[in-house]
Amino acid sequence: MQESQETHISNHLDEVVAAVSITHRKKFQNKLLQTALFQPPREKLHLCEEKAKSYSNSHEYKQAVHELVRCVALTRICYGDSHWKLAEAHVNLAQGYLQLKGLSLQAKQHAEKARQILANSIVPPYSENTDVFKFSIELFHTMGRALLSLQKFKEAAENLTKAERLSKELLQCGRIIKEEWIEIEARIRLSFAQVYQGQKKSKEALSHYQAALEYVEISKGETSRECVPILRELAGVEQALGLHDVSINHFLQAHLIILSRSPSQVEAADSAHIVAHAAVASGRHEHHDVAEQYFQESMAHLKDSEGMGRTKFLSIQDEFCHFLQMTGQKERATSILRESLEAKVEAFGDFSPEVAETYRLLGGADLAQGNHSGARKKLKKCLQIQTLLYGPQDKRTLATQQAMGMLSTAPKVASKPRQASKAKVAFCTSIPQDTLLGKARPGTTAD
Amino acid sequence: MFLGTGEPALDTGDDSLSAVTFDSDVETKAKRKAFHKPPPTSPKSPYLSKPRKVASWRSLRTAGSMPLGGRASLTPQKLWLGTAKPGSLTQALNSPLTWEHAWTGVPGGTPDCLTDTFRVKRPHLRRSASNGHVPGTPVYREKEDMYDEIIELKKSLHVQKSDVDLMRTKLRRLEEENSRKDRQIEQLLDPSRGTDFVRTLAEKRPDASWVINGLKQRILKLEQQCKEKDGTISKLQTDMKTTNLEEMRIAMETYYEEVHRLQTLLASSETTGKKPLGEKKTGAKRQKKMGSALLSLSRSVQELTEENQSLKEDLDRVLSTSPTISKTQGYVEWSKPRLLRRIVELEKKLSVMESSKSHAAEPVRSHPPACLASSSALHRQPRGDRNKDHERLRGAVRDLKEERTALQEQLLQRDLEVKQLLQAKADLEKELECAREGEEERREREEVLREEIQTLTSKLQELQEMKKEEKEDCPEVPHKAQELPAPTPSSRHCEQDWPPDSSEEGLPRPRSPCSDGRRDAAARVLQAQWKVYKHKKKKAVLDEAAVVLQAAFRGHLTRTKLLASKAHGSEPPSVPGLPDQSSPVPRVPSPIAQATGSPVQEEAIVIIQSALRAHLARARHSATGKRTTTAASTRRRSASATHGDASSPPFLAALPDPSPSGPQALAPLPGDDVNSDDSDDIVIAPSLPTKNFPV
């Protein structure tokens, strides 16, 4: 009895002393102890969630994923293995992986884990927790996007359909408001459109893109930044369907939105380049002025930049030169290429496809003008580079060899005008093929 | 080749060893045959056992080396030797076994015989070697053959080396020829260039262009390698296994943090739990002492906490009652006894605080034994508590002292306000005196009015007598009655109608013979005049009252203004209050009032001037100067009602009144003049209030 009383008294005394102590030092020490000892996992979880949001807002996706993984672990500590909060944490992590391109498998894996946890954890009564349903919509939407990235379009469409149906039910039940539903519907429609685009069903994709654009304009405004990617994708679909005028208008609309937001030089140049590229792709004569205007604007933005901007500038310049050749302005294209050759060697290196292509084009131009020695030099240089890059048996290398072979026979043929004209015709025929290749290349780079 | 030469040497060594063993075996056989007859002895057996072991060892060596030798050698001679040697080995192994059986079978011999046999064995071995038995000849041949082979192989090696050198030289020559031909081809392919330029290119080109191109190619290859490695790195990073490992690592770190946190919590709880355990271990007496000490400490701590709470409450109350703008006003409103009560309460609080200090001292006394008994940590904490309590009490005392000073200041302010109120009372008393003087003036006026009434009554009597005489003469009564009521509404009309009445009276005298009509007419006339007289009297009284009230009100306004200005001026300094108290004489405030009310005085002056001018104009029309004196007196009364000088003018006004009544009684024509004087006085009275109102 005495021992128990003593222990009780000692505990009471400790409590009293702790309550009475008001010294600053003791307060500071207590604070440190509290932060180390008494901060429960829930507070840490809250802090991690805030950190993850701030990182994702500042586009530091790797660190955001790191914090989201910690959130999953802490959620497991707080709520156990069979709680819907853990499933929600997994969905958030899956979304983080989707932001980092190339990690779709991980996103899918976590989405599946979340679905399993949710299936095991949901018990009656079902109708008490609206957050569970909202999170379920996010789950299906994220799964759909992950499958879309993995090129599994059918399954993606199924998941997106589930998400859409669930959101409609919640709207009808009054669990969510109209504005919230519009926001969710905009994202689902955009994902649907991307699925159909992947399946090459352009008409369905077009309708869904239009719906998504409409919803985003309703919720965010017609001049918001969120409209830009939708406008561009919509314009891409219109290009595929042959609606070039509408497509260019949508690209211009996106470009104007970007300009109104005071972007950086690189952003403005990219936007102008996209418009110019669309105008060139349409192949119509009335769009040539638009193309030239926006090529000039794009190059003007990047003219004084260095590093990545310099390489981008040179790429756009090459594309512009191809455009000039197509439109019959070969002299102008040739002069621009000559001026840019040294810059390309500095930017891309001596042995690079861009330098080889430039030498080949310049050689063709010299040949057309009758400068055989210059043409021979340039084609030889081009042959050297292509041999190193593509190997001696590549078709491009062989084509250049043939051209040089024809050139070597030129002195004999010069005496006979007919054969000379045949040689010119051969070179002219070779140029269109290269231009076609040139068309394909920027397309791939754009993609 | 060297290795090849080495192997045959080893083989030759092995062969010699094997030959030696073969010879020894043969000798042993011969000895066995010779010694079958003599019997061996038991003490000689150790000598026999040793050579057996040596033989077995040697045979093992030869057996180990033979297969290696066989493998290395390819010549048919080696193959033959290999086949022969194992047969000899088997024979050698068999022979010692048979020899052992022989020795064991023989019962034994003398040691001298064994030693002799051993000596005999050695010369036999030598003799057999020199004789050149059949087994010795193949060993010799093998050696010679091997040496020959070695020499031949060396020769072939030298020949091949020379061939290799020749081939190398040929290759170099061919390469040089190829390079020369390439250069010639290039030169031939450039016919347009000059010979000198071609020479310079031939000299420079190969080194510079070759080196540069080589380096560029290397750069290109290295870049490609870097790209490939970057690709592999990115693939590894995006691989599922990598990300899963990363996730597990992060989760493990998180779990470890949680475990560490819990462990620290357990450690802290254990450390707290250890103290009572330590206490338990001590003796019973110590435990009791500790228990009592803890109880006393806990009680003291509780008391201290309660005292702290009470002190905090007191401080809050005191702070709430601290001097603020609104509360200063409250204190200003409070009376002296309230302030004194507040001071008493505060003094009581101070005494309570002092008593609390004494209470705080008590735990200090109780602490020393507790400190001795308790641990250092417990010892330190109470000390901190005591210091804290002392500091709190000192702070409370300081606050209370500050409140005392504030309250004293409030008392001073209250005293000042009291003085101001006393001054106000004095001012009010002065006003009362002025009002009394006003009342005296009113009484004097009433006396004057009574005299006027007497004069009027006398006039009425005369008029009545005249009417009686006229009634006796005139019979036309209804005409007079009709005409008389018309002039009643205004006194002026009555005055104007008197002459036409007299003329009419003359005319109806011969006409009216009836006396009753005359009497009725006379009564009616008297009644009308009496009514007019009453009306005039009322008007005069009202006018005088209005004038008095106005004067009093103006004075009051000026005094209130003075009080306000005095109040403002007196607050910061207390000196102005003293002359106010010391100067009750009314003359002193009057110049102040005049100075402050200068615009009012100017207006009054203007009014006085205008009235005087009007009076002068009227006096010119009237011949007598007495009228002017009466008018001036009335004006002076109205102008200086508030001043003491007002008492003298009414006396002067009373004196001229009986003198004009005398001439009236003497002559009937001067009676009309008297009437005109009365009319002037009456006219002046109503005009004053009309002028005064705008003022």
Side-chain angles (χ1 to χ4, degrees):
Chain A
M1 292 299 291
Q2 291 179 356
E3 292 177 356
S4 65
Q5 287 178 357
E6 288 174 357
T7 54
H8 182 71
I9 289 159
S10 66
N11 289 328
H12 180 69
L13 184 62
D14 290 332
E15 289 175 0
V16 172
V17 169
V20 170
S21 66
I22 301 170
T23 312
H24 289 288
R25 292 178 182 176
K26 291 181 180 178
K27 284 182 179 178
F28 187 71
Q29 290 175 359
N30 288 330
K31 286 181 181 177
L32 289 174
L33 288 172
Q34 287 175 2
T35 55
L37 299 175
F38 302 106
Q39 190 180 31
R42 294 193 182 210
E43 289 183 6
K44 289 181 180 177
L45 175 60
H46 189 64
L47 289 172
C48 277
E49 286 174 351
E50 289 180 351
K51 280 185 181 179
K53 286 180 181 177
S54 66
Y55 281 132
S56 63
N57 287 331
S58 61
H59 301 288
E60 300 174 12
Y61 296 119
K62 287 187 176 180
Q63 295 177 11
V65 167
H66 187 279
E67 294 297 328
L68 287 165
V69 173
R70 286 197 72 205
C71 288
V72 171
L74 289 167
T75 306
R76 195 175 179 190
I77 292 168
C78 295
Y79 297 102
D81 289 338
S82 302
H83 197 275
W84 67 271
K85 284 281 187 179
L86 180 59
E88 188 180 22
H90 277 289
V91 168
N92 291 331
L93 180 54
Q95 288 176 351
Y97 276 125
L98 281 174
Q99 288 175 346
L100 284 169
K101 294 185 177 179
L103 295 170
S104 302
L105 282 171
Q106 286 81 355
K108 182 190 172 192
Q109 184 186 5
H110 284 286
E112 287 174 350
K113 281 184 181 177
R115 187 164 65 181
Q116 290 176 2
I117 292 164
L118 192 64
N120 293 327
S121 69
I122 288 181
V123 294
Y126 301 110
S127 61
E128 285 186 357
N129 200 335
T130 303
D131 292 334
V132 174
F133 292 109
K134 288 183 182 179
F135 137 73
S136 299
I137 295 168
E138 289 297 327
L139 167 58
F140 288 120
H141 183 235
T142 305
M143 177 71 89
R145 286 173 58 203
L147 291 163
L148 169 61
S149 299
L150 295 169
Q151 306 287 312
K152 299 180 180 178
F153 300 116
K154 188 175 180 182
E155 296 175 12
E158 289 174 0
N159 280 279
L160 292 170
T161 305
K162 289 179 185 176
E164 188 176 9
R165 194 184 303 146
L166 193 54
S167 67
K168 280 186 177 178
E169 287 177 0
L170 287 179
L171 178 66
Q172 290 171 2
C173 295
R175 299 298 182 90
I176 57 173
I177 57 176
K178 182 76 173 179
E179 288 78 6
E180 200 168 353
W181 179 78
I182 285 169
E183 194 169 341
I184 292 166
E185 189 70 8
R187 290 194 280 113
I188 292 169
R189 290 282 179 166
L190 179 58
S191 299
F192 257 120
Q194 288 167 351
V195 167
Y196 285 122
Q197 180 71 350
Q199 292 176 325
K200 306 298 179 185
K201 299 179 180 176
S202 297
K203 289 186 177 179
E204 291 84 354
L206 180 64
S207 64
H208 282 283
Y209 273 123
Q210 286 172 347
L213 181 64
E214 186 179 351
Y215 287 130
V216 170
E217 285 176 351
I218 291 166
S219 65
K220 300 289 178 64
E222 292 185 358
T223 60
S224 68
R225 188 173 278 270
E226 286 80 5
C227 293
V228 170
I230 299 171
L231 281 164
R232 286 178 176 167
E233 294 188 23
L234 172 60
V237 171
E238 285 160 350
Q239 269 186 339
L241 290 168
L243 307 169
H244 294 290
D245 293 331
V246 180
S247 173
I248 287 167
N249 283 331
H250 283 129
F251 276 124
L252 280 170
Q253 186 177 345
H255 181 57
L256 292 173
I257 290 168
I258 292 281
L259 290 179
S260 67
R261 298 283 167 175
S262 65
S264 65
Q265 294 293 322
V266 175
E267 287 177 358
D270 283 339
S271 186
H273 176 233
I274 287 164
V275 176
H277 181 68
V280 171
S282 70
R284 293 186 184 178
H285 188 72
E286 58 267 24
H287 293 146
H288 287 170
D289 294 334
V290 174
E292 183 166 352
Q293 177 188 345
Y294 284 97
F295 270 125
Q296 294 289 356
E297 183 179 333
S298 179
M299 290 192 287
H301 281 295
L302 293 171
K303 197 166 187 179
D304 299 326
S305 63
E306 293 294 337
M308 289 299 295
R310 169 60 61 176
T311 56
K312 196 169 287 185
F313 170 76
L314 293 168
S315 299
I316 294 168
Q317 198 176 40
D318 269 354
E319 196 170 337
F320 182 49
C321 291
H322 284 298
F323 166 71
L324 291 173
Q325 286 184 347
M326 288 165 59
T327 56
Q329 307 178 45
K330 294 184 178 179
E331 295 80 8
R332 190 177 172 190
T334 304
S335 66
I336 291 169
L337 285 169
R338 283 210 178 88
E339 290 172 1
S340 68
L341 182 60
E342 291 181 359
K344 282 174 183 172
V345 170
E346 289 179 3
F348 300 111
D350 287 305
F351 301 112
S352 64
E354 292 82 3
V355 173
E357 182 68 13
T358 305
Y359 273 120
R360 192 181 64 75
L361 291 171
L362 290 172
D366 286 344
L367 187 62
Q369 293 173 0
N371 185 2
H372 294 288
S373 63
R376 183 172 165 283
K377 281 184 190 177
K378 293 183 172 64
L379 287 172
K380 184 180 178 185
K381 188 73 174 178
C382 177
L383 181 62
Q384 285 182 358
I385 295 166
Q386 284 178 345
T387 305
L388 286 169
L389 282 173
Y390 310 129
Q393 300 302 321
D394 190 83
K395 60 181 179 179
R396 286 169 285 188
T397 309
L398 293 173
T400 307
Q401 281 182 347
Q402 290 176 3
M404 288 190 70
M406 296 172 81
L407 182 62
S408 65
T409 60
K412 298 178 180 180
V413 177
S415 62
K416 299 179 181 179
R418 293 181 181 177
Q419 293 178 358
S421 66
K422 288 181 181 178
K424 290 181 181 179
V425 168
F427 281 103
C428 293
T429 55
S430 66
I431 291 167
Q433 293 175 358
D434 296 325
T435 56
L436 290 171
L437 292 172
K439 283 183 181 179
R441 289 176 187 174
T444 55
T445 56
D447 294 338
Chain B
M1 292 301 294
F2 291 100
L3 292 173
T5 55
E7 289 175 357
L10 292 171
D11 293 334
T12 54
D14 293 333
D15 294 333
S16 63
L17 289 169
S18 65
V20 168
T21 55
F22 183 77
D23 293 334
S24 65
D25 291 333
V26 171
E27 289 174 356
T28 54
K29 289 179 180 179
K31 290 177 183 177
R32 290 172 185 173
K33 293 178 181 178
F35 290 110
H36 281 292
K37 293 179 180 179
T41 60
S42 64
K44 295 178 182 179
S45 63
Y47 292 98
L48 295 171
S49 65
K50 289 181 180 180
R52 293 175 187 174
K53 291 180 181 179
V54 171
S56 64
W57 180 67
R58 288 177 181 177
S59 65
L60 288 172
R61 280 188 174 180
T62 55
S65 64
M66 284 302 294
L68 292 174
R71 292 174 184 175
S73 66
L74 297 173
T75 59
Q77 291 180 358
K78 290 182 179 179
L79 291 170
W80 180 76
L81 289 169
T83 54
K85 289 176 182 178
S88 64
L89 286 169
T90 54
Q91 291 175 0
L93 288 169
N94 290 326
S95 61
L97 291 172
T98 56
W99 185 64
E100 288 175 357
H101 287 290
W103 285 106
T104 57
V106 177
T110 61
D112 294 336
C113 294
L114 290 172
T115 55
D116 291 335
T117 56
F118 185 74
R119 290 174 182 177
V120 171
K121 288 181 181 178
R122 293 179 180 177
H124 287 289
L125 289 170
R126 293 176 182 176
R127 290 175 183 177
S128 64
S130 64
N131 289 325
H133 290 285
V134 172
T137 54
V139 171
Y140 179 76
R141 290 178 181 177
E142 290 176 355
K143 287 181 181 180
E144 290 174 356
D145 292 337
M146 291 298 286
Y147 284 120
D148 292 336
E149 289 177 3
I150 287 162
I151 291 161
E152 289 175 0
L153 287 170
K154 285 182 179 179
K155 288 179 181 178
S156 66
L157 278 173
H158 287 296
V159 170
Q160 288 178 357
K161 284 181 180 179
S162 64
D163 292 338
V164 167
D165 291 332
L166 290 170
M167 292 297 290
R168 285 181 181 175
T169 53
K170 288 180 182 178
L171 283 171
R172 287 174 184 172
R173 290 173 185 173
L174 289 169
E175 286 178 358
E176 289 174 359
E177 288 174 0
N178 285 329
S179 64
R180 289 173 186 173
K181 289 180 181 177
D182 289 335
R183 291 174 187 173
Q184 288 175 1
I185 289 162
E186 288 176 359
Q187 290 174 4
L188 291 169
L189 288 170
D190 293 332
S192 64
R193 294 178 183 177
T195 57
D196 294 335
F197 186 69
V198 169
R199 288 175 183 175
T200 56
L201 286 173
E203 290 175 359
K204 292 180 180 179
R205 261 192 178 181
D207 294 339
S209 63
W210 183 74
V211 170
I212 290 165
N213 286 323
L215 290 170
K216 287 180 180 177
Q217 289 171 14
R218 286 184 182 178
I219 288 163
L220 185 67
K221 289 178 182 176
L222 290 170
E223 285 179 356
Q224 288 176 353
Q225 288 177 3
C226 287
K227 288 180 181 178
E228 289 175 0
K229 290 183 177 178
D230 288 333
T232 54
I233 288 163
S234 65
K235 285 182 181 178
L236 288 170
Q237 286 180 351
T238 56
D239 190 12
M240 286 289 286
K241 291 182 179 178
T242 305
T243 52
N244 286 336
L245 284 169
E246 188 70 18
E247 290 171 10
M248 287 182 176
R249 186 177 64 77
I250 294 166
M252 188 176 73
E253 285 177 359
T254 308
Y255 296 148
Y256 178 75
E257 285 178 6
E258 186 66 15
V259 168
H260 186 67
R261 186 180 75 85
L262 294 170
Q263 284 180 351
T264 51
L265 282 170
L266 285 172
S268 64
S269 64
E270 286 176 359
T271 54
T272 55
K274 286 179 181 177
K275 291 180 181 178
L277 292 171
E279 290 173 358
K280 291 178 182 177
K281 291 179 180 178
T282 59
K285 292 182 180 179
R286 290 182 180 178
Q287 287 178 359
K288 290 180 181 178
K289 290 180 181 178
M290 290 291 289
S292 63
L294 288 169
L295 285 169
S296 64
L297 283 169
S298 63
R299 288 174 185 173
S300 64
V301 168
Q302 287 177 358
E303 289 175 358
L304 288 168
T305 53
E306 290 174 359
E307 287 175 1
N308 286 327
Q309 288 177 359
S310 65
L311 289 169
K312 286 179 180 177
E313 290 174 359
D314 292 332
L315 284 169
D316 292 331
R317 290 174 185 172
V318 168
L319 289 170
S320 65
T321 58
S322 66
T324 57
I325 295 166
S326 62
K327 291 186 177 178
T328 54
Q329 292 176 358
Y331 283 118
V332 169
E333 292 174 358
W334 285 12
S335 63
K336 289 182 179 180
R338 286 186 180 180
L339 292 170
L340 291 170
R341 290 174 188 171
R342 182 66 184 169
I343 290 161
V344 170
E345 289 175 359
L346 291 170
E347 288 176 354
K348 289 179 181 178
K349 287 183 179 179
L350 285 170
S351 64
V352 170
M353 299 301 286
E354 288 175 357
S355 65
S356 66
K357 287 182 181 179
S358 64
H359 285 291
E362 290 177 358
V364 172
R365 294 175 184 177
S366 65
H367 277 296
C371 295
L372 294 172
S374 67
S375 65
S376 64
L378 296 172
H379 180 71
R380 289 175 184 174
Q381 290 174 355
R383 287 180 178 178
D385 295 333
R386 296 177 203 168
N387 292 323
K388 292 174 185 175
D389 293 333
H390 286 294
E391 290 176 358
R392 289 178 184 175
L393 292 169
R394 289 174 186 172
V397 169
R398 290 174 186 173
D399 293 336
L400 291 168
K401 289 180 179 178
E402 290 174 359
E403 287 181 3
R404 273 185 176 178
T405 56
L407 291 167
Q408 288 176 357
E409 290 175 359
Q410 289 173 3
L411 283 170
L412 292 172
Q413 291 176 0
R414 296 290 294 178
D415 291 335
L416 294 172
E417 289 178 0
V418 167
K419 290 176 181 178
Q420 291 174 2
L421 290 169
L422 291 171
Q423 292 171 6
K425 285 182 180 179
D427 294 332
L428 290 169
E429 288 174 356
K430 292 174 186 176
E431 290 178 0
L432 287 169
E433 291 174 358
C434 295
R436 289 174 184 174
E437 291 173 357
E439 288 176 357
E440 291 176 355
E441 291 175 359
R442 289 178 184 176
R443 291 174 183 174
E444 291 174 357
R445 290 179 183 175
E446 288 177 359
E447 291 176 358
V448 171
L449 290 169
R450 287 173 184 174
E451 290 176 0
E452 289 180 0
I453 290 163
Q454 290 175 0
T455 57
L456 289 168
T457 51
S458 65
K459 289 178 182 177
L460 286 169
Q461 289 175 0
E462 290 175 357
L463 289 170
Q464 288 175 359
E465 289 175 356
M466 291 174 73
K467 287 179 180 178
K468 290 178 180 179
E469 289 176 356
E470 289 175 356
K471 288 178 182 177
E472 289 175 357
D473 294 335
C474 298
E476 295 180 357
V477 175
H479 294 284
K480 290 179 182 179
Q482 290 177 358
E483 292 174 357
L484 288 169
T488 55
S490 66
S491 63
R492 293 180 181 178
H493 290 286
C494 292
E495 293 174 356
Q496 292 175 359
D497 292 340
W498 280 111
D501 290 342
S502 63
S503 65
E504 290 176 354
E505 290 173 356
L507 291 171
R509 289 177 182 179
R511 296 178 182 178
S512 64
C514 299
S515 64
D516 293 337
R518 290 179 182 175
R519 289 178 180 177
D520 291 336
R524 289 177 181 175
V525 169
L526 287 170
Q527 288 176 359
Q529 287 180 355
W530 177 249
K531 287 178 182 179
V532 169
Y533 174 77
K534 283 184 178 180
H535 188 68
K536 289 178 183 178
K537 187 176 180 181
K538 287 179 181 179
K539 283 185 178 181
V541 169
L542 288 171
D543 290 339
E544 289 178 357
V547 169
V548 170
L549 288 170
Q550 288 177 2
F553 186 68
R554 288 170 189 164
H556 179 70
L557 287 173
T558 54
R559 288 163 191 155
T560 54
K561 289 180 181 178
L562 288 170
L563 287 170
S565 65
K566 288 178 182 178
H568 286 293
S570 65
E571 283 180 356
S574 64
V575 175
L578 296 174
D580 293 335
Q581 293 176 355
S582 65
S583 64
V585 178
R587 290 180 180 177
V588 174
S590 62
I592 293 165
Q594 290 176 359
T596 57
S598 62
V600 176
Q601 290 180 353
E602 291 177 356
E603 291 174 353
I605 290 160
V606 169
I607 294 162
I608 291 162
Q609 290 176 358
S610 63
L612 184 63
R613 288 168 186 167
H615 179 71
L616 289 170
R618 291 163 189 163
R620 288 174 185 175
H621 290 286
S622 65
T624 60
K626 294 178 181 179
R627 298 169 187 172
T628 58
T629 57
T630 57
S633 68
T634 57
R635 290 169 187 172
R636 287 176 184 175
R637 293 172 189 173
S638 64
S640 65
T642 59
H643 297 285
D645 295 339
S647 63
S648 61
F651 294 102
L652 295 172
L655 293 172
D657 289 335
S659 61
S661 64
Q664 292 176 0
L666 294 171
L669 294 172
D672 294 333
D673 293 333
V674 170
N675 291 326
S676 68
D677 292 334
D678 293 332
S679 68
D680 291 332
D681 292 332
I682 293 160
V683 167
I684 291 161
S687 67
L688 288 173
T690 58
K691 293 179 181 179
N692 290 325
F693 284 119
V695 172

